[in-house]
């Protein structure tokens, strides 16, 4: 018999009531987790909302783990990781990452970079220095941009000055900064100083050298004739974990070629092949290899090497530098026509920035080749057309061609090329002016040579002592002593003269009978630095003066200088003593007397003693005047004196109170009044 749904519900309700009535003492409560779930579900309007909340909590737990798990992870890390030692505050700083170049610092970087691109390097360096002390400090990347511009314009002194400044300003240099400093010293023909800075970087800096670092050092050492040290640097590169670099080996091969050591050249090439697995696919070494074959008279092997490097089916990786090496090998070994054919092909293939086959060095090599062939017009045409291939000449390129023209007696053409430098935005350097000056002297154009020297000085360039010596020598040869003396006066403060430089000018003046000017030169030398007036130079001056019977003038001059020196020292000592006294007086007027110690206390005691003496004298006079008064008054005075305290004890107390300078002003005033009364009673 089946029950309908309403009947079934009624029957079920009756059974539950009956069970509750008879078994209420056996009630069973649901488990706690069901109660919490029931309460949790009651907080939401619908089951869908509860499910959405559960999903949300699960996502949150996946993204942000609970705090308990974080604590467990931290405890595990503390157990596994050792306790780190505190860092040394004197340890060198690490350079800033590229991410520091953002916001205001990026705007500053762009402003300074604009000045660098406009070749306004002085303003760029000054802006960088001022920014160091502003709220927006420049990054090392901004500094490197300025340093690179100064290196490009051969402003070596300014570069090193800025480098020292940023080092003192706690801007940590990076590997690019060190590379620029190395290149500067190598360009200045100071390879030993560059190596010292490299050792300091290795020992003290947290920065590791890069392959570019070793390329710069090896090339600079080879160019400065330090081939052995360049080989040592190559070996050190291997110990640092760097693989064999074909560019470094190409520099070494070029150094052996310059020294005429073909055996060393091939030995270093075989070493490179061995380290690269008997397969050298970088064409940068092929130019030097061709030179080695040409040196041995193996022209066939050299041309086979050339075909392997630049042939139609060549698999070599050729860059613009590699092509330049091959062109140089061809043009210097009687294969200039082949070099011109390769040059025309490279110009056609040049498609920057995707394909770079020529650069500034390419045009320099071809211009030198034309000059070696005596075709100077073609050399000038190639040099002036390099702008069509996005190449701009620099000072070194101009100097190279000007030197070729001057050596071949084409000074007017060289001066014309010199005039084009300003239009190209290129500034002449000391070598440019020295070339033109020497050539003018060779062609008996002494005045023009002197004018080039004057332009060099006016351009804030510093000629060396050899250039100055050539100038005054040429001027003296044509009896232009006044001009030579004027250049001496101009350069004596700028150059460090040696004895021979002084003697040359003194000899010139002495031969012209101008001994007074010789003595004036001696006077100026002693004033500048007495150590420069050496014993050898002193004997030379005595000998020149003795020819005219004036050898005593030098002794008088030296005695006068000694007297002036002694007077200057005495005056300086007196001024120093006066300054000390005025300083003491100023300090005494500002600081209370109790802070000065015993000296001030003694002065105060002396002043008090003088006051006591004056008061005693004033008291004695009226006492003597009243000496004829009646005995009764005398007795009263004696009684009053007897009633007073013992004078000696009170005088000691007075002196002690005076010496106690730390007492207050009220106490000092009271002690003065007591002193007066005691003095009266004593009398």
């Amino acid at each position: 018999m089946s029950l309908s749904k309403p009947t079934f519900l009624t029957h079920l309700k009756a059974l539950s009531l009956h069970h509750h009535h008879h078994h209420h003492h056996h009630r069973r409560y649901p488990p706690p987790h069901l109660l919490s779930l029931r309460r949790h579900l009651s907080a939401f309007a619908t089951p869908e909302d509860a499910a959405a909340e559960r999903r949300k909590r699960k996502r949150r737990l996946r993204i942000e783990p609970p705090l308990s798990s974080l604590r467990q992870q931290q405890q595990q890390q503390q157990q596994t990781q050792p306790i780190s030692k505190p860092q040394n505050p004197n340890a060198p700083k690490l350079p800033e990452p590229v991410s520091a170049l953002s916001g205001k610092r990026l705007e500053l970087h762009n402003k300074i970079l604009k000045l660098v691109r406009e070749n306004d390097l002085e303003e760029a360096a000054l802006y960088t220095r001022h920014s160091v002390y502003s709220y927006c400090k420049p990054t090392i990347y901004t500094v490197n941009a300025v340093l690179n511009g100064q290196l490009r314009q051969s402003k070596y002194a300014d570069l090193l000055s800025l480098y020292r400044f940023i080092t003192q300003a706690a801007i940590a240099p990076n590997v690019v900064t060190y590379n620029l400093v190395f290149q500067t010293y190598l360009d200045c023909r100071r390879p030993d100083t560059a190596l010292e800075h490299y050792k300091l970087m290795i020992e003290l800096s947290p920065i590791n050298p890069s392959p570019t670092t070793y390329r710069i050092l090896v090339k600079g050492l080879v160019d400065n004739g330090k081939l052995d040290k360049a080989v040592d640097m190559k070996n050190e590169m291997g110990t640092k974990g760097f693989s064999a670099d074909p560019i470094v080996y190409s520099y070494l091969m070029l150094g052996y070629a310059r020294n005429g050591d073909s055996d060393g050249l091939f030995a270093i090439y075989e070493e490179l092949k061995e380290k690269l697995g008997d397969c050298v696919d970088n064409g940068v070494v092929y130019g030097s290899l061709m030179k080695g074959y040409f040196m041995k008279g193996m022209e066939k092997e050299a041309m086979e090497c050339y075909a392997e490097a630049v042939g139609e089916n060549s698999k070599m990786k050729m860059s613009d530098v590699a092509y330049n090496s091959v062109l140089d090998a061809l043009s210097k070994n009687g294969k200039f026509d082949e070099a011109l054919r390769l040059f025309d092909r490279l110009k056609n293939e040049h498609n920057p920035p995707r394909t770079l086959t020529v650069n500034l060095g390419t045009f320099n090599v071809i211009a030198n080749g034309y000059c070696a062939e005596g075709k100077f017009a073609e050399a000038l045409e190639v040099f002036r057309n390099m702008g069509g291939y996005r190449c701009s000449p620099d000072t070194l390129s101009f100097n190279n061609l000007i030197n070729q023209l001057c050596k071949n007696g084409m000074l007017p053409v060289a001066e014309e090329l010199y005039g084009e430098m300003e239009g190209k935005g290129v500034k002449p350097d000391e070598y440019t002016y020295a070339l033109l000056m020497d050539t003018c002297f060779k062609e008996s154009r002494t005045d023009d040579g002197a004018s080039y020297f004057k332009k060099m000085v006016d351009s804030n360039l510093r000629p060396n002592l050899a250039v100055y010596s050539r100038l005054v020598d040429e001027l003296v040869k044509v009896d232009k002593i006044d001009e030579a003396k004027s250049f001496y006066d101009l350069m004596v403060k700028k150059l460090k003269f040696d004895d021979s430089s002084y003697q040359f000018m003194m000899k010139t003046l002495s031969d012209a009978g101008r001994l007074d000017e010789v003595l004036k030169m001696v006077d100026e030398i002693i004033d500048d630095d007495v150590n420069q007036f050496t014993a050898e130079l002193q004997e030379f001056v005595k000998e020149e003066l003795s020819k005219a019977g004036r050898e005593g003038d030098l002794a008088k001059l030296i005695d006068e200088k000694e007297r002036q020196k002694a007077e200057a020292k005495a005056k300086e000592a007196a001024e120093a003593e006066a300054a000390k006294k005025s300083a003491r007086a100023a300090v005494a007027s500002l600081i209370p007397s109790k802070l000065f110690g015993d000296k001030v206390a003694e002065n105060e005691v002396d002043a008090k003693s003088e006051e006591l003496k004056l008061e005693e004298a004033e008291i004695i006079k009226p006492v003597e005047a009243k000496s004829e008064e009646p005995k009764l008054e005398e007795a009263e005075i004696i009684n009053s004196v007897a009633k007073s305290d013992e004078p000696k004890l009170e005088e000691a107390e007075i002196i002690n109170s005076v010496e106690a300078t730390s007492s207050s002003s009220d106490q000092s005033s009271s002690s003065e009044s007591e002193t007066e009364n005691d003095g009266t009673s004593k009398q």
Side-chain angles (χ1 to χ4, degrees), residues 144-401:
N144 288 342
V146 181
L147 294 177
N148 188 37
Q150 292 173 334
L151 179 63
R152 190 175 62 251
Q153 294 292 335
S154 301
K155 295 181 177 295
Y156 303 124
D158 296 339
L159 187 151
L160 295 176
S161 176
L162 181 59
Y163 169 71
R164 296 188 190 98
F165 176 80
I166 63 110
T167 303
Q168 295 172 357
I171 299 179
N174 58 14
V175 66
V176 178
T177 315
Y178 285 111
N179 291 344
L180 292 171
V181 174
F182 299 155
Q183 187 68 64
T184 300
Y185 283 116
L186 292 169
D187 289 349
C188 293
R189 303 295 180 183
R190 297 171 64 183
D192 294 333
T193 308
L195 291 177
E196 290 176 2
H197 279 265
Y198 167 75
K199 291 179 181 179
L200 290 175
M201 184 190 76
I202 295 297
E203 295 174 358
L204 303 178
S205 175
I207 303 300
N208 293 321
S210 65
T212 306
T213 305
Y214 291 103
R215 291 175 182 177
I216 291 172
L217 290 172
V218 171
K219 184 179 184 301
L221 292 171
V222 170
D223 292 340
N224 285 276
K226 304 283 186 178
L227 184 58
D228 295 337
K229 292 185 178 180
V231 174
D232 295 338
M233 190 61 61
K234 180 262 301 179
N235 296 332
E236 184 174 348
M237 182 180 180
T239 60
K240 294 291 184 182
F242 293 99
S243 59
D245 188 2
I247 298 178
V248 171
Y249 278 83
S250 69
Y251 294 146
L252 295 174
M253 293 170 66
L254 182 61
Y256 283 113
R258 290 175 180 173
N259 294 341
D261 187 1
S262 59
D263 294 334
L265 188 151
F266 286 109
I268 203 74
Y269 175 70
E270 292 297 329
E271 180 184 337
L272 176 63
K273 286 179 64 178
E274 181 181 355
K275 290 186 176 181
L276 295 181
D278 204 22
C279 179
V280 181
D281 58 353
N282 194 327
V284 72
V285 300
Y286 275 77
S288 300
L289 192 61
M290 290 171 60
K291 292 179 181 178
Y293 283 122
F294 280 122
M295 287 170 59
K296 284 195 168 187
M298 304 168 65
E299 183 177 333
K300 180 181 178 181
E301 288 79 0
M303 297 309 293
E304 288 177 356
C305 185
Y306 167 70
E308 183 181 356
V310 300
E312 295 181 358
N313 299 323
S314 176
K315 296 181 180 179
M316 293 294 165
K317 298 177 182 178
M318 299 294 292
S319 62
D320 49 358
V321 178
Y323 282 122
N324 293 347
S325 179
V326 173
L327 288 171
D328 188 60
L330 292 172
S331 61
K332 289 183 178 179
N333 290 279
K335 301 292 181 180
F336 187 62
D337 294 336
E338 187 65 33
L340 290 177
R341 284 192 290 271
L342 179 60
F343 178 61
D344 293 335
R345 170 189 152 189
L346 296 178
K347 288 192 296 183
N348 296 329
E349 294 178 357
H350 187 65
N351 185 22
R354 178 173 297 179
T355 305
L356 299 176
T357 56
V358 297
N359 59 15
L360 176 59
T362 310
F363 291 93
N364 290 337
V365 169
I366 298 300
N368 289 338
Y370 274 123
C371 291
E373 296 286 327
K375 301 178 180 180
F376 299 102
E378 290 82 352
L380 289 170
E381 182 181 359
V382 168
F383 184 82
R384 288 166 176 163
N385 290 337
M386 71 171 67
Y389 299 91
R390 299 187 182 182
C391 298
S392 299
D394 58 2
T395 306
L396 183 62
S397 302
F398 274 100
N399 290 345
N400 176 50
L401 192 52

